[in-house]
Amino acid sequence: MLWENGQMGRPTRNTTRDLRRGNRESLLRALAYRGPTSRQKMSDLTGLSTATVSTLIAGLLAEGVVVEAGALESDGGRPRILIEINPGHGHLIGVDVGETRIRLELFDLRLTGIAKAEYAVVRGEHDPERVAEDILRGVRTLITDAGIDSSRVLGVGIGVPGVVAEGGVVDAPTYGWARAPLGELLRARTPLPLHIDNGAKTLGLAELQFGAGQGSDHVIVALLGTGVGVAIINDGTLYRGISNSAGEWGHTIVERDGRRCRCGRRGCLEAYVGAGAILERYASLAPGALHQGVDEETALAALIADADAGSAPAVQVLAETADWLAIGLANLINLFNPERVLLACWAGRLLGTALLTEIRAATRRRTMASLYDDATISLGALGPDAVALGAATLVLESFLATASTAPRA
């Protein structure tokens, strides 16, 4: 039985048009995420007959959605023609709204980066109007720099901190946002389609499709930066919860009446493994050790360098950080039984590179043995643009769904 809006609905029947739309979407999805592919390989990937694949590809070629991309030599017989998504059929913009900067990137339909823009955000000055204006200014800059018509932009995907409700309403306590109408502010100033989601979730989508999560259906992607979040991939699908709020890992409690978190509560994981919290502990143990006026990424890298040079306070802070992080990771592994756990975002890469052996060992001590053995803990494969890439993937997903509907004859 099917449920619609919480009520028992009537069983639906798939029409021939529904079937065709589903087949087109399967083909487009394979091409979008695997790159140039032969018709035979597409048949293997989708389970469709070669005749069905050939018919659908002919239609997509005529519409300009896909193009031929060279040939693959075969043993005996004719070379196999490769097909790919037409990179120039449209463009996508991904936006990463971070604690200290807003990053934007323009992509083609193969998610190849074309142009970038970046704007600094002053700590504590995250007014929604200002953030919306910076996003739109960046969008205009990208379009101008790339020399494309705005009509060729299929949409803008935006990754933000905090919980995103319907319509792009954002609750982000660390920004001071309570029901901030970011979507409304943006839609009032641009006709471009908008897709707004939590930044950890967009990072998870990027790692799943293009990074270290490829090939796995059960993945935990931990975003470690100034803030802390997580993307949970279950059966190949992003787990969102009932109100798209799942993944606030940084605000799970790891110590009763512990350190005060930026959200106002005590004992949150973010108050121990967020970059700002790590640096605060170091400053309290080694006054004057941190250089003033540098950004958190530079400061955390310097702390790690101090530990490598033998600084006792730096060594202590990193050991404590590895231990607190292990508590958080053990909870995730015990709860979700993932195949892979990825440490991602800029602080995740720095801490993972320096402490991966210690993090793994501490996590093993706190995790049920059989569940730990099922999982591998490693670094994410993508760089600082991963959130923007994942945000652009939101636009790509919308395009794939729309393009799966063949034009009527």
Side-chain angles (χ1 to χ4, degrees):
M1 290 291 189
L2 300 177
W3 290 80
E4 298 174 355
N5 300 321
Q7 301 295 323
M8 186 72 77
R10 294 180 179 179
T12 59
R13 292 182 299 175
N14 288 329
T15 65
T16 300
R17 188 173 178 81
D18 292 332
L19 183 61
R20 181 177 175 82
R21 180 168 57 244
N23 290 343
R24 276 172 62 103
E25 184 168 356
S26 295
L27 282 182
L28 287 170
R29 190 171 297 279
L31 291 169
Y33 293 120
R34 294 185 64 92
T37 309
S38 69
R39 289 172 175 81
Q40 180 59 54
K41 184 64 176 177
M42 279 187 274
S43 177
D44 295 339
L45 290 171
T46 61
L48 300 173
S49 70
T50 53
T52 297
V53 167
S54 293
T55 299
L56 293 175
I57 290 299
L60 291 166
L61 284 167
E63 296 161 30
V65 178
V66 303
V67 292
E68 293 185 348
L72 185 68
E73 295 296 332
S74 60
D75 297 330
R78 295 182 299 174
R80 294 179 177 177
I81 302 300
L82 298 177
I83 304 296
E84 69 175 356
I85 289 280
N86 181 359
H89 187 71
H91 294 83
L92 324 167
I93 293 177
V95 183
D96 173 8
V97 178
E99 296 273 353
T100 59
R101 60 180 65 88
I102 297 173
R103 288 191 175 106
L104 303 95
E105 188 161 3
L106 177 72
F107 301 89
D108 65 21
L109 268 186
R110 289 186 303 190
L111 286 171
T112 300
I114 298 172
K116 297 181 182 182
E118 184 172 303
Y119 301 95
V121 176
V122 178
R123 181 179 290 281
E125 297 183 8
H126 300 106
D127 179 75
E129 289 269 1
R130 169 73 180 274
V131 170
E133 183 52 47
D134 282 345
I135 291 172
L136 295 172
R137 178 158 53 110
V139 168
R140 292 191 294 268
T141 297
L142 291 177
I143 291 172
T144 300
D145 288 351
I148 62 173
D149 190 285
S150 61
S151 65
R152 304 299 297 169
V153 177
L154 302 176
V156 181
I158 305 168
V160 299
V163 175
V164 182
E166 186 176 354
V169 176
V170 183
D171 283 308
T174 55
Y175 259 36
W177 287 7
R179 307 295 294 171
L182 183 63
E184 180 182 327
L185 292 171
L186 292 168
R187 290 186 182 94
R189 306 176 194 181
T190 179
L192 293 173
L194 301 173
H195 306 268
I196 305 173
D197 208 343
N198 172 267
K201 290 184 174 68
T202 70
L203 173 67
L205 289 173
E207 287 287 355
L208 178 68
Q209 299 293 357
F210 310 105
Q214 290 183 87
S216 296
D217 288 334
H218 299 274
V219 185
I220 299 289
V221 183
L223 181 152
L224 295 164
T226 301
V228 175
V230 72
I232 303 160
I233 312 299
N234 181 55
D235 279 336
T237 302
L238 186 63
Y239 177 71
R240 294 183 173 277
I242 193 170
S243 61
N244 194 38
S245 304
E248 290 297 319
W249 178 50
H251 301 292
T252 55
I253 305 301
V254 295
E255 185 174 24
R256 180 176 178 269
D257 297 328
R259 289 172 57 91
R260 184 171 292 280
C261 180
R262 296 183 303 159
C263 74
R265 296 170 180 82
R266 289 189 175 274
C268 294
L269 179 65
E270 186 176 298
Y272 298 88
V273 302
I278 296 170
L279 295 171
E280 285 177 10
R281 293 208 309 279
Y282 187 39
S284 68
L285 291 174
L290 290 176
H291 296 291
Q292 299 300 312
V294 300
D295 60 65
E296 287 184 341
E297 186 169 355
T298 302
L300 184 58
L303 189 166
I304 292 170
D306 289 349
D308 289 340
S311 165
V315 169
Q316 177 182 334
V317 168
L318 289 185
E320 291 172 351
T321 299
D323 212 34
W324 285 113
L325 183 54
I327 291 172
L329 294 176
N331 288 336
L332 289 173
I333 294 170
N334 285 336
L335 281 169
F336 295 104
N337 186 207
E339 179 183 356
R340 299 184 192 180
V341 177
L342 306 177
L343 306 181
C345 198
W346 63 268
R349 293 193 306 276
L350 284 173
L351 295 170
T353 299
L355 301 170
L356 191 57
T357 298
E358 292 84 351
I359 291 168
R360 285 171 172 167
T363 305
R364 176 185 285 277
R365 292 195 300 270
R366 289 174 170 80
T367 309
M368 293 183 66
S370 60
L371 298 180
Y372 181 87
D373 290 342
D374 284 342
T376 59
I377 301 173
S378 57
L379 301 185
L382 303 177
D385 298 328
V387 172
L389 174 62
T393 302
L394 299 175
V395 186
L396 177 61
E397 286 288 329
S398 177
F399 167 76
L400 294 176
T402 302
S404 66
T405 301
R408 293 183 181 274

